[in-house]
Amino acid sequence: AQTVTQSQPEMSVQEAETVTLSCTYDTSESNYYLFWYKQPPSRQMILVIRQEAYKQQNATENRFSVNFQKAAKSFSLKISDSQLGDTAMYFCAFMKQGGSEKLVFGKGTKLTVNP
Amino acid sequence: NAGVTQTPKFRILKIGQSMTLQCTQDMNHNYMYWYRQDPGMGLKLIYYSVGAGITDKGEVPNGYNVSRSTTEDFPLRLELAAPSQTSVYFCASSPGQANTGELFFGEGSRLTVL
């Protein structure tokens, strides 16, 4: 079974600064995908960024980027130029290829962006 | 732009009561899921469906039942509610067969069992 670990229950950052959220995972699968999902307060969860394990290049989406270290089974999220709207719970998730798109989630990191 | 719609948003149940959480999506997605989110515990998969007439257990199925008679609807039934089922429940859908991993979530249903 796969496990996803987020070791930082809460983090805070000043507006316009950069913050990195950590995630590690454990799997024996060779082909899989990793994700960061964002859950704003009282709003729906949405996908932030996605990484295919077979790709060496780290994924980026505007101010969001990942540091994917496959050998270390590490998948951190970097948010640059933090904005107040980035305040949310962030969940790291794992999905094995061909697994009916069932995601395994970490426990989440609560990020607060301070003005 | 309804997306995934869950009802009710809030519900209080007494121990032993039963209820159904409704979930409907208007995106013609094949795959649908029910997750529960407990404080500090992330999301756990309860049941999922890859198409009408097909359902399967997730990680924490005990105490729940589902059905998928249409592509749009995926209700979650709680029989004999217990305090351990106090949680926030999320329904999600995905186009499926594309390995995108992008799930579209509803707003959640907060259930309290007293």
Side-chain angles (χ1 to χ4, degrees):
Chain A
Q2 293 78 29
T3 59
V4 177
T5 302
Q6 294 179 249
S7 59
Q8 305 152 315
E10 293 191 40
M11 295 188 72
S12 63
V13 64
Q14 293 299 120
E15 197 174 6
E17 293 187 346
T18 295
V19 64
T20 298
L21 280 56
S22 300
C23 173
T24 59
Y25 61 95
D26 189 25
T27 185
S28 59
E29 300 287 337
S30 300
N31 301 314
Y32 54 88
Y33 304 82
L34 296 163
F35 310 87
W36 281 97
Y37 273 82
K38 171 185 178 181
Q39 185 181 40
S42 302
R43 294 184 61 185
Q44 288 156 293
M45 190 174 301
I46 57 172
L47 178 65
V48 175
I49 198 165
R50 172 177 183 266
Q51 174 79 43
E52 292 90 338
Y54 64 86
K55 289 186 177 180
Q56 292 186 337
Q57 187 173 5
N58 290 325
T60 62
E61 286 287 342
N62 301 314
R63 298 182 295 107
F64 298 87
S65 61
V66 299
N67 183 4
F68 174 47
Q69 300 291 328
K70 190 172 184 178
K73 296 182 180 176
S74 170
F75 183 62
S76 60
L77 174 70
K78 185 173 80 171
I79 305 175
S80 304
D81 186 25
S82 296
Q83 300 176 359
L84 296 178
D86 294 333
T87 292
M89 283 289 291
Y90 286 83
F91 293 94
C92 180
F94 171 99
M95 183 186 83
K96 69 176 183 179
Q97 188 173 0
S100 302
E101 306 212 357
K102 294 178 292 182
L103 271 62
V104 176
F105 287 88
K107 293 183 179 182
T109 296
K110 183 179 180 181
L111 177 66
T112 301
V113 180
N114 298 310
Chain B
N1 282 358
V4 178
T5 303
Q6 293 181 231
T7 57
K9 288 186 170 49
F10 302 94
R11 182 74 185 269
I12 298 175
L13 280 181
K14 294 182 179 179
I15 294 173
Q17 287 185 322
S18 300
M19 75 160 297
T20 298
L21 297 175
Q22 302 292 344
C23 176
T24 187
Q25 52 92 8
D26 62 358
M27 297 174 282
N28 200 34
H29 285 172
N30 289 319
Y31 292 3
M32 295 188 74
Y33 312 82
W34 274 105
Y35 284 90
R36 60 177 285 173
Q37 183 181 24
D38 300 320
M41 295 301 293
L43 282 78
K44 301 288 187 183
L45 182 64
I46 305 172
Y47 271 96
Y48 68 101
S49 168
V50 299
I54 305 169
T55 62
D56 208 345
K57 296 178 181 179
E59 185 180 0
V60 290
N62 292 343
Y64 307 94
N65 279 299
V66 294
S67 60
R68 184 96 182 270
S69 56
T70 67
T71 299
E72 295 79 17
D73 300 310
F74 190 43
L76 178 71
R77 177 83 176 164
L78 281 72
E79 304 282 1
L80 299 175
S84 61
Q85 293 178 305
T86 293
S87 188
V88 181
Y89 292 84
F90 289 96
C91 180
S93 72
S94 166
Q97 299 176 333
N99 278 316
T100 66
E102 182 171 10
L103 271 57
F104 295 79
F105 283 84
E107 294 183 349
S109 299
R110 183 176 295 274
L111 175 67
T112 302
V113 182
L114 300 174

